[in-house]
Amino acid sequence: MKTLKRVLYFVALPILLILLWWVLTLGEVNFYTPKPGQLVETFAEVWFSDRFFDDVLPSITRLFVGLFAAILLGIVLGVLIGSVRWLRRLFEPLLEFFRAIPPPVLVPLLLLLIGVNDTMKVVVIVSGAIWPVLLNTVEGVRAVDEVLGDASRVYGLTGFARLRYLVLPSASPQIMAGVRQSLSIGLILMVISEMFASSSGLGFTIIQFQRSFAIPEMWSGIVLLGLIGIALSFIFQFVERRVLHWYHGLKELHTS
């Protein structure tokens, strides 16, 4: 019953919006706004074809590689900078400077430095998705409870054991908050990186549809990006529930 209720909450609003869209487009012939049935038909024709292997799979692969690299680098650098006070003071102005630069403006520069290839697209994703993870990790490590830190030292918890049993668990709620933000940034940058001097990928294909006035096909690409975003969100929630199970249990204990 509880699962059915959650499913109903999840699908109720999208179904209502689609019904509203269907009613509003009844009898209308608008070149720029396809009807729901037409969009579903176009979606199946466009994306359940060779395009899935030529454009969708390479884009998703680059997205996952870029996100994995950004999360790994963000956590490693964040733990290092957050653990050493002088290192944090040294890097803080530099981090704020690079965080303020919008990642899309780096695309032309990376094109010149790396060239038009998959590495450039992955680097573009990393250059933007790393910041939420890195900065949240720094703050999470810095905010480790001093009492717990002193207690860990008294009990001889040092080195990797201190990192494993104190620092990472304490910082993990903030790290996961950074990871959640990096997912949407990574998806946006995946599309942007494929719009520049590319010959494949979702961003390239959607731009080609727009330039050739293939409006239903363009809308189907936008819907596909939204579905990829939902899939990323489900994967994140699945991982978060397992990584932060102790944290959610503690919150439920405090609220009960």
Side-chain angles (χ1 to χ4, degrees):
M1 190 65 187
K2 193 175 176 181
T3 306
L4 181 63
K5 203 172 178 181
R6 289 178 65 182
V7 171
L8 283 175
Y9 270 118
F10 182 76
V11 300
L13 186 57
I15 289 175
L16 279 175
L17 290 174
I18 291 171
L19 282 174
L20 181 65
W21 177 14
W22 178 71
V23 170
L24 291 175
T25 54
L26 273 177
E28 291 285 334
V29 182
N30 189 326
F31 178 74
Y32 296 103
T33 310
K35 296 179 180 178
Q38 183 190 5
L39 184 56
V40 170
E41 190 179 334
T42 305
F43 186 94
E45 286 175 3
V46 173
W47 302 113
F48 294 149
S49 64
D50 291 342
R51 284 193 184 279
F52 181 78
F53 299 99
D54 297 337
D55 296 312
V56 181
L57 272 186
S59 291
I60 292 176
T61 304
R62 288 191 287 266
L63 175 64
F64 275 94
V65 171
L67 284 175
F68 178 77
I71 292 168
L72 185 64
L73 279 173
I75 293 175
V76 171
L77 293 175
V79 167
L80 187 64
I81 295 171
S83 302
V84 184
R85 186 172 299 175
W86 67 265
L87 208 56
R88 193 167 62 241
R89 288 178 179 170
L90 183 69
F91 274 91
E92 197 166 15
L94 201 63
L95 294 179
E96 293 298 330
F97 173 79
F98 280 110
R99 188 183 65 160
I101 298 175
V105 303
L106 297 176
V107 176
L109 177 65
L110 293 173
L111 268 172
L112 291 174
L113 293 176
I114 304 174
V116 183
N117 50 41
D118 287 344
T119 305
M120 182 276 291
K121 294 165 187 169
V122 170
V123 171
V124 169
I125 295 170
V126 174
S127 69
I130 190 174
W131 299 110
V133 183
L134 174 58
L135 296 174
N136 275 278
T137 305
V138 171
E139 289 304 314
V141 172
R142 195 173 65 171
V144 171
D145 194 309
E146 290 184 7
V147 176
L148 287 176
D150 293 338
S152 69
R153 274 189 286 275
V154 169
Y155 284 101
L157 205 62
T158 57
F160 181 76
R162 187 174 187 274
L163 178 70
R164 166 72 178 81
Y165 295 107
L166 174 66
V167 176
L168 285 179
S170 298
S172 55
Q174 279 192 259
I175 293 174
M176 293 308 289
V179 171
R180 179 189 284 274
Q181 294 172 37
S182 72
L183 297 182
S184 55
I185 294 174
L187 185 58
I188 292 167
L189 291 175
M190 178 201 78
V191 175
I192 291 174
S193 69
E194 292 170 352
M195 288 179 172
F196 289 86
S198 182
S199 59
S200 66
L202 279 170
F204 167 78
T205 307
I206 291 172
I207 285 292
Q208 290 300 108
F209 286 149
Q210 183 249 330
R211 288 175 180 167
S212 59
F213 291 95
I215 303 301
E217 287 80 1
M218 182 192 74
W219 274 103
S220 72
I222 295 170
V223 170
L224 180 59
L225 288 175
L227 293 176
I228 293 173
I230 292 175
L232 280 177
S233 176
F234 277 128
I235 293 171
F236 172 80
Q237 289 176 30
F238 177 80
V239 174
E240 189 202 31
R241 275 198 295 271
R242 274 141 189 84
V243 173
L244 297 182
H245 62 92
W246 61 271
Y247 178 70
H248 293 305
L250 200 62
K251 281 176 66 178
E252 287 177 8
L253 190 65
H254 286 164
T255 53
S256 61

